[in-house]
Amino acid sequence: MKRLKLLTSVFMMFVFAGINAQETEQKEPRQQGHTNQNKFRQMYQEMATPNQYRTASGAPGPAYYQNEADYKMDIVLDDKNSVLTGEETITYHNNSPQDLEYLWVQLDQNIRKKDAPQKDGDGLAPVATAAGFANKYLETPFDGGFDIKEVSANGSDLKYTINQTMMRVDLPKPLKAGETYTFDIKWSYNVNNHVTNRARSGYEFFPEDGNKAYVIAQFFPRMAVYNDVEGWQNYQFWGNGEFALPFGDYEVNITVPADHIMEATGELQNRKEVYSKEMMKRYEQAKKSYDKPVMIVTQEEAEKAEKNFSEKTKTWTYKADMVRDFAFSTSRKFILDMMAVDVMGKDVMAVSVYPKEGNPLWEEWSTKAVAATLESYSEHTFQYPYHKAVSVHAKNQGMEYPMICWNYGRPDENGNYSDRTKFGMISVIIHEVGHNFFPMIVNSDERQWGWMDEGINTFVQYVAEQEFGKKHPEAIAPESNYPSRRGAPSKIVPYMKGNQDYISPIMSNPEQVYQLGNNAYGKPATALNILRETVMGRELFDYAFATYSKRWMFKHPTPEDFFRTMEDASGVDLDWFWRGWFYTTDNVDIGIKDVQKYYVTDNPTEAGREMLKRYGTTPEETKALYVVSEDDEAFSEEMKGKSLMENSETLQAYVMDNFSEEERKNLQAPKYFYQVTFEKPGGLVMPIIVELTYEDGTSEKVTYPVQIWRKNDSNVSKVIPSNKEITKITLDPDLETADVDVNNNSWPKNENKSEFDEYKDSAQD
Ligand SMILES: [Zn+2]
């Protein structure tokens, strides 16, 4: 205890000095008042007030509710004419405490109506591609909007109004709280070519064999979300902001040419009718194959089917419970393979569907990537609740739906592919299969908050990719980690130090941001990675993150629910982190401004005397030591290399009077006192991570918590007592904070890079 007292009293002197310098600096005689802009203030102004629906802990409250929509659908695909026709019965459960006068239904395909409003400005560049030019100025716009043929209930027409991509269905009488309403919609639309007419849904046409491969989604009128946060979420579909959808149960019959192979959301109900005997046999084998995929439809069989063009049809029947959407993929070109995965003690089927154009890449990696994703994500969130996860290969696609997703990654005509194609494909599969967790199960509002599914998912994707590299070392280069494109702090630096005119805060609607990929994917993923590795540590972070995932599994969380849960379950105050990283476009830049070496002496200095006077005390009363730097007049060369007590008899006397012999043996005797001043040109507050290198070549890492910035946002000093001479100080030595300028990160200063070197470095990225 006494040892502490000694150090405390020595440090008090430094602290006096520190406060003196920082708090009583000459101030202009102004002064205007100001509001509390402290970066550590709590987020009462930014966050919604907690209530009975959503609590201050970030968990659903006692009055939390969510509405549900169940669908029964009959869908027919006219392959020749690329027309999709459907009849659906929606049963809507109003679990809210309010009566509803009308229902809102989403008509996403109306974004492809001929006369859909053009929401973006454009211009002509000095050079254009023929395809782009033809597509934009020569072709008649494709007419892909919904033809709504009927909206009715019990055989009587319902009044409805279509406002672009939203349809209001007026109810004959309000739907009472707690009641259910059933109505029918009949519709059709022209399916677009998703490759030439870029879209998440449509077909790819293969001119060599005359076939189409369909990936069909957002294809039926879907209920909008009604909840305690938005009322009806009927913000129009503009293309970037994805979907807000309620959970429900689906029963879907899909009729396609008899020689098609299909995969879809849900459990196939009539497998024996649509599979051949051989396929059934292989399917049974796949259920027991945990280490490699079993081919259900081989490439040879698929190539044979390509030439059929059957005139007959088959109907595939699917059932899915507690899903927020339904999608399917169908073609006679499809190869199909499956493998069982043991996900925390539960069997799930990992499935891949691809045309021969995807091989040999797809038969090698797709299903293995699906399996690894289910394992990794389940570890970090909750056990995957569905019975399967399907990866479909579709050109240029990367898009997710419940249990099924579309993924890019295609070898060239000769079956050759680069590492970039291979890792691009594995990564997109991990990402899109990962979306089963966010937002298919943790059902956030994508229309409003792109980062809640994309950013959180890209973060877990990064973790899963690194784990994939460990599970499949044969997939990556020897002695290396999986080459993740996003997630590592250094990867977000170019974006965060970019032109502020083209950066939006993460907390922005996806339709209004610049650089959606960096804004909604890269930056939040990196922020969460830094939170896990540098700010909170894995143990606290992982527990809180899993708590959020479990609390909001099969529910609709908001950003506040995430922010609050992460603090509530970890005991770490993170308001400063959310505000800085999610609500502003500030970046991280911490530097070493100055390093001074200090000694103590009994010889009074002018500054020391003055300070004692100011505090109304005497050297005798305080048993004063005087602190001097090498620039001070009171400094002499003899002080160097001597211990504290060798330089100060006052201190010696104090120790003799106050410590027993036993205690004196344990006293430390630092010879050097460094005062390091850190500056912070970047707006974000972050912990200061320092690597100290000593004269004997050893080094040590010290981390000062972020709170060090709470009373001074621009610079802060820290005293480092040391037995050994410090030869080098490096900030953020492992580049874990996304510091945008490392030129100010070392002492003595590294030679500034020339502009040419910087150019060379950036050209290698
Ligand atoms: Zn995504």
Side-chain angles (χ1 to χ4, degrees):
M1 286 310 273
K2 286 215 181 113
R3 182 165 68 85
L4 273 180
K5 209 159 71 185
L6 164 80
L7 286 175
T8 310
S9 61
V10 172
F11 283 126
M12 279 309 283
M13 297 305 288
F14 286 108
V15 171
F16 278 149
I19 288 173
N20 183 41
Q22 290 188 17
E23 286 195 353
T24 60
E25 219 165 80
Q26 290 292 324
K27 282 183 176 164
E28 305 274 309
R30 40 152 189 151
Q31 284 176 337
Q32 302 250 317
H34 58 86
T35 56
N36 182 1
Q37 293 302 319
N38 189 294
K39 287 177 179 161
F40 294 86
R41 73 195 186 276
Q42 297 294 289
M43 293 188 50
Y44 290 111
Q45 272 143 351
E46 289 83 354
M47 285 198 189
T49 308
N51 54 42
Q52 289 291 297
Y53 304 116
R54 289 162 203 277
T55 68
S57 73
Y64 177 83
Y65 70 87
Q66 61 196 27
N67 290 354
E68 281 169 44
D70 300 332
Y71 298 80
K72 285 189 176 153
M73 302 197 282
D74 289 307
I75 310 296
V76 178
L77 171 67
D78 175 348
D79 178 34
K80 257 184 216 141
N81 301 305
S82 310
V83 176
L84 202 64
T85 307
E87 297 188 14
E88 67 187 86
T89 300
I90 303 177
T91 300
Y92 189 69
H93 304 261
N94 179 15
N95 299 325
S96 84
Q98 292 95 39
D99 299 349
L100 303 173
E101 300 110 303
Y102 43 78
L103 307 177
W104 280 98
V105 177
Q106 312 185 60
L107 304 177
D108 300 71
Q109 291 300 328
N110 278 4
I111 200 177
R112 310 206 154 264
K113 259 192 167 350
K114 234 185 198 155
D115 54 356
Q118 312 237 324
K119 293 190 167 91
D120 287 317
D122 58 9
L124 286 168
V127 62
T129 65
F133 213 82
N135 187 274
K136 197 154 184 198
Y137 301 109
L138 305 184
E139 279 180 36
T140 344
F142 177 77
D143 197 1
F146 274 115
D147 177 7
I148 299 291
K149 299 171 202 289
E150 186 184 310
V151 182
S152 63
N154 297 318
S156 343
D157 285 350
L158 289 170
K159 193 168 170 290
Y160 64 89
T161 304
I162 295 176
N163 173 10
Q164 298 180 35
T165 62
M166 290 287 166
M167 174 167 76
R168 193 189 66 232
V169 177
D170 300 344
L171 301 176
K173 60 181 186 15
L175 174 58
K176 289 242 157 36
E179 286 187 356
T180 290
Y181 187 70
T182 300
F183 65 109
D184 304 301
I185 305 177
K186 292 182 180 163
W187 52 267
S188 76
Y189 74 89
N190 298 320
V191 181
N192 55 295
N193 179 324
H194 72 74
V195 181
T196 57
N197 199 338
R198 184 124 181 78
R200 295 176 179 87
S201 172
Y203 62 82
E204 176 182 358
F205 180 64
F206 294 83
E208 305 79 21
D209 51 66
N211 278 290
K212 293 168 192 157
Y214 294 86
V215 285
I216 299 296
Q218 299 112 248
F219 66 93
F220 58 100
R222 302 181 295 177
M223 286 304 304
V225 167
Y226 180 86
N227 67 16
D228 58 294
V229 183
E230 293 279 350
W232 283 104
Q233 173 50 292
N234 53 12
Y235 192 97
Q236 295 288 340
F237 179 50
W238 293 14
N240 281 331
E242 293 185 319
F243 314 107
L245 299 157
F247 287 108
D249 301 337
Y250 286 67
E251 285 178 48
V252 186
N253 302 311
I254 309 167
T255 303
V256 294
D259 48 6
H260 271 210
I261 293 296
M262 188 188 297
E263 264 299 345
T265 303
E267 206 146 7
L268 181 57
Q269 301 296 300
N270 58 341
R271 197 177 300 272
K272 281 189 185 148
E273 287 168 36
V274 291
Y275 273 25
S276 68
K277 276 214 178 91
E278 191 58 38
M279 286 170 71
M280 281 306 295
K281 221 170 78 193
R282 295 167 183 167
Y283 172 68
E284 292 302 326
Q285 284 166 12
K287 284 200 220 165
K288 283 172 250 141
S289 177
Y290 294 88
D291 55 344
K292 59 175 188 295
V294 172
M295 304 303 299
I296 312 289
V297 176
T298 66
Q299 177 160 340
E300 200 182 309
E301 288 158 351
E303 286 186 37
K304 224 160 119 192
E306 280 181 351
K307 302 177 182 105
N308 273 347
F309 298 97
S310 172
E311 295 286 335
K312 293 192 195 124
T313 61
K314 255 186 198 171
T315 300
W316 300 58
T317 300
Y318 293 91
K319 254 179 144 170
D321 287 345
M322 278 307 266
V323 288
R324 55 166 241 163
D325 201 358
F326 188 97
F328 68 96
S329 180
T330 184
S331 175
R332 60 176 66 83
K333 286 178 68 68
F334 282 157
I335 301 163
L336 173 64
D337 74 49
M338 298 186 191
M339 177 175 114
V341 204
D342 176 354
V343 180
M344 300 161 91
K346 180 191 158 199
D347 273 2
V348 177
M349 196 69 103
V351 183
S352 296
V353 184
Y354 41 96
K356 66 172 189 295
E357 284 74 7
N359 268 340
L361 189 54
W362 275 69
E363 61 186 14
E364 177 74 27
W365 288 115
S366 176
T367 297
K368 285 181 192 160
V370 174
T373 306
L374 295 176
E375 289 166 353
S376 281
Y377 272 70
S378 293
E379 288 284 312
H380 293 281
T381 57
F382 43 75
Q383 185 185 48
Y384 183 65
Y386 298 133
H387 74 289
K388 71 171 177 189
V390 186
S391 160
V392 178
H393 176 41
K395 192 174 188 180
N396 302 340
Q397 289 282 356
M399 191 56 204
E400 71 278 8
Y401 303 95
M403 303 181 213
I404 192 166
C405 54
W406 326 145
N407 301 299
Y408 56 76
R410 186 171 294 182
D412 68 18
E413 318 77 74
N414 304 314
N416 300 319
Y417 55 85
S418 60
D419 267 3
R420 192 190 150 102
T421 302
K422 175 176 125 185
F423 290 118
M425 173 249 195
I426 294 172
S427 287
V428 74
I429 291 174
I430 294 174
H431 180 95
E432 307 305 345
V433 172
H435 270 309
N436 274 299
F437 294 80
F438 310 95
M440 297 304 149
I441 295 166
V442 178
N443 190 351
S444 57
D445 179 351
E446 299 177 88
R447 186 65 45 93
Q448 180 57 39
W449 304 117
W451 71 268
M452 281 199 79
D453 65 302
E454 296 303 351
I456 290 178
N457 183 42
T458 303
F459 158 69
V460 191
Q461 176 198 345
Y462 171 76
V463 176
E465 283 172 355
Q466 296 305 310
E467 290 173 0
F468 181 90
K470 306 249 149 43
K471 279 180 207 166
H472 293 286
E474 77 279 14
I476 58 175
E479 308 288 310
S480 58
N481 294 323
Y482 186 95
S484 291
R485 186 162 76 98
R486 287 181 168 131
S490 61
K491 306 252 178 183
I492 203 66
V493 165
Y495 170 68
M496 289 184 74
K497 75 171 177 193
N499 184 343
Q500 283 289 337
D501 289 349
Y502 299 101
I503 305 178
S504 323
I506 293 173
M507 286 294 288
S508 304
N509 183 291
E511 295 296 350
Q512 291 141 30
V513 305
Y514 304 99
Q515 308 183 58
L516 187 65
N518 283 318
N519 176 282
Y521 296 64
K523 185 179 164 189
T526 312
L528 295 179
N529 193 22
I530 291 174
L531 200 54
R532 180 176 189 241
E533 302 289 354
T534 303
V535 176
M536 296 172 78
R538 288 188 183 185
E539 196 186 341
L540 290 174
F541 179 95
D542 288 354
Y543 179 80
F545 187 75
T547 301
Y548 164 73
S549 309
K550 290 187 181 95
R551 278 180 174 179
W552 292 96
M553 183 182 185
F554 291 123
K555 294 193 173 70
H556 298 267
T558 63
E560 285 98 331
D561 298 325
F562 176 69
F563 297 148
R564 286 177 169 139
T565 296
M566 290 303 289
E567 298 191 13
D568 194 68
S570 70
V572 182
D573 172 44
L574 294 169
D575 286 36
W576 60 273
F577 189 87
W578 307 133
R579 179 184 285 104
W581 281 84
F582 287 74
Y583 289 78
T584 79
T585 61
D586 285 342
N587 55 33
V588 181
D589 184 13
I590 298 176
I592 299 172
K593 190 180 177 189
D594 183 44
V595 178
Q596 291 282 343
K597 221 192 262 182
Y598 287 97
Y599 302 85
V600 295
T601 171
D602 290 336
N603 297 333
T605 62
E606 198 56 37
R609 272 206 188 113
E610 243 173 59
M611 190 168 174
L612 288 171
K613 215 191 278 165
R614 220 171 329 122
Y615 284 96
T617 183
T618 62
E620 293 71 29
E621 235 171 27
T622 50
K623 304 198 180 355
L625 325 178
Y626 298 86
V627 180
V628 296
S629 78
E630 290 183 7
D631 299 335
D632 277 319
E633 234 173 89
F635 170 77
S636 74
E637 284 294 325
E638 312 158 2
M639 291 177 181
K640 279 187 168 174
K642 282 191 189 159
S643 76
L644 268 177
M645 281 191 276
E646 286 166 340
N647 275 328
S648 166
E649 280 171 23
T650 316
L651 186 60
Q652 237 178 79
Y654 178 85
V655 168
M656 289 307 287
D657 290 351
N658 290 278
F659 293 80
S660 70
E661 205 183 326
E662 200 54 35
E663 286 168 332
R664 287 201 295 270
K665 278 188 201 146
N666 291 324
L667 293 181
Q668 303 184 50
K671 288 183 186 158
Y672 302 94
F673 289 89
Y674 295 87
Q675 179 175 300
V676 185
T677 303
F678 302 98
E679 60 182 355
K680 192 171 70 58
L684 290 181
V685 289
M686 286 294 277
I688 303 178
I689 305 162
V690 186
E691 185 181 63
L692 306 171
T693 307
Y694 299 102
E695 54 190 337
D696 61 2
T698 59
S699 65
E700 140 181 55
K701 218 161 117 177
V702 185
T703 300
Y704 303 112
V706 64
Q707 285 79 11
I708 202 164
W709 298 109
R710 72 199 188 283
K711 293 186 183 175
N712 192 327
D713 191 42
S714 56
N715 54 68
V716 65
S717 297
K718 207 62 204 166
V719 173
I720 303 174
S722 170
N723 285 320
K724 296 184 274 188
E725 185 145 20
I726 294 172
T727 52
K728 193 176 171 205
I729 303 177
T730 312
L731 275 182
D732 191 12
D734 302 319
L735 304 179
E736 53 186 298
T737 66
D739 193 316
V740 300
D741 178 11
V742 292
N743 283 313
N744 55 3
N745 281 25
S746 9
W747 173 85
K749 262 205 170 10
N750 273 348
E751 287 224 344
N752 270 341
K753 280 185 182 176
S754 71
E755 264 178 50
F756 177 71
D757 286 338
E758 287 224 7
Y759 168 76
K760 255 193 349 201
D761 284 357
S762 66
Q764 282 164 353
D765 278 348

